[in-house]
Amino acid sequence: QVQLQESGPGLVKPSQTLSLTCTVSGGSITTGTYYWSWIRQPAGKGLEWIGRIYTSGSTNYNPSLKSRVTISIDTSKNQFSLILSSVTAADTAVYYCARERRVEWLRFFDYWGQGTLVTVSS
Amino acid sequence: DIQMTQSPSSLSASVGDRVTITCQASQDISTYLNWYQQKPGKAPKLLIYDASNFETGVPSRFSGSGSGTDFTFTISSLQPEDIATYYCQQYDDLPFFGQGTRLEIK
């Protein structure tokens, strides 16, 4: 059974950099055809896809966040990471990592982490 | 970017009711649409993929239909455990979610 677990600081100061890591267990991050994504959800609001990385290292980002986001992967540790720079209070949210499975033309998020709350505040 | 318009934003229904949620895409996305259920404090859970296909283990009272720009998610007989927020998600291009529909028991 694949499991994803987010980790990182729960409190970040405004203008600083948010950094989170997702550790994948129960399977290799390089096995199969998957994208590895970050998704966030402000309290009481909807889901916002942030970006994703493939095992090759290729990335896609939400255009609304692209200038501030970097997603990387460390296959030796079975982890992928999110860096979001120049944060403001609007970046306060629960951050999820998720696996996006690819089967021919199909794509869907089939495994999610439990989510981690990141608060941006001085 | 492809925009998804989901409605209603909230819905109150009685146990046993038929519940319908719609999702409209800003352009043709074929059947590249998924539906998720999110219960409070939990991560979303995939229910329907490719507009109408059931994820393994999903109760048959849940169903999805549609293609092109207009999609529908239906619960044929609402159960108390179905109280959650439901999201559509397109994957024709980058994956984006609808705004969500919060479902409550009347």
Side-chain angles (χ1 to χ4, degrees), chain A residues 1-81:
Chain A
Q1 177 80 347
V2 173
Q3 292 186 317
L4 290 80
Q5 178 68 58
E6 306 88 353
S7 60
L11 180 65
V12 181
K13 289 182 167 50
S15 79
Q16 295 194 344
T17 297
L18 179 159
S19 181
L20 295 173
T21 295
C22 182
T23 301
V24 180
S25 59
S28 171
I29 203 169
T30 61
T31 301
T33 51
Y34 306 114
Y35 289 115
W36 301 94
S37 278
W38 288 97
I39 296 160
R40 70 181 183 179
Q41 185 172 38
K45 296 188 178 180
L47 300 164
E48 180 179 34
W49 178 77
I50 299 169
R52 67 188 177 194
I53 190 164
Y54 191 52
T55 51
S56 65
S58 64
T59 55
N60 301 109
Y61 299 126
N62 187 323
S64 70
L65 298 168
K66 188 174 182 177
S67 63
R68 299 194 292 130
V69 174
T70 302
I71 295 176
S72 60
I73 193 166
D74 187 336
T75 56
S76 67
K77 295 182 178 178
N78 235 34
Q79 294 176 335
F80 62 106
S81 298

Side-chain angles (χ1 to χ4, degrees), chain A residues 77-98:
Chain A
K77 295 182 178 178
N78 235 34
Q79 294 176 335
F80 62 106
S81 298
L82 168 70
I83 291 177
L84 180 66
S85 63
S86 304
V87 298
T88 70
D91 295 310
T92 295
V94 173
Y95 285 74
Y96 294 100
C97 57

Side-chain angles (χ1 to χ4, degrees), chain B residues 14-17 61 75 77-83 86 103 105:
Chain B
S14 300
V15 173
D17 282 355
R61 63 180 180 275
I75 305 173
S77 178
L78 184 66
Q79 300 301 303
E81 60 267 31
D82 300 336
I83 298 313
Y86 294 85
L103 180 55
I105 292 284

Side-chain angles (χ1 to χ4, degrees), chain A residues 1 39 41 47 96-99 107-115, chain B residues 6 21 33-50 53-63 73 75 81-89 97 101:
Chain A
Q1 177 80 347
I39 296 160
Q41 185 172 38
L47 300 164
Y96 294 100
C97 57
R99 187 179 85 170
R107 299 208 304 274
F108 45 82
F109 296 104
D110 60 351
Y111 285 97
W112 298 66
Q114 64 185 24
Chain B
Q6 187 175 339
I21 299 168
L33 187 102
N34 305 320
W35 290 96
Y36 298 83
Q37 175 192 66
Q38 186 181 31
K39 295 188 176 181
K42 300 293 186 182
K45 173 187 174 184
L46 176 69
L47 297 181
I48 303 287
Y49 63 91
D50 199 32
N53 294 286
F54 299 97
E55 172 66 334
T56 302
V58 172
S60 59
R61 63 180 180 275
F62 295 104
S63 65
F73 173 80
I75 305 173
E81 60 267 31
D82 300 336
I83 298 313
T85 301
Y86 294 85
Y87 293 92
C88 62
Q89 175 244 321
F97 294 88
T101 296

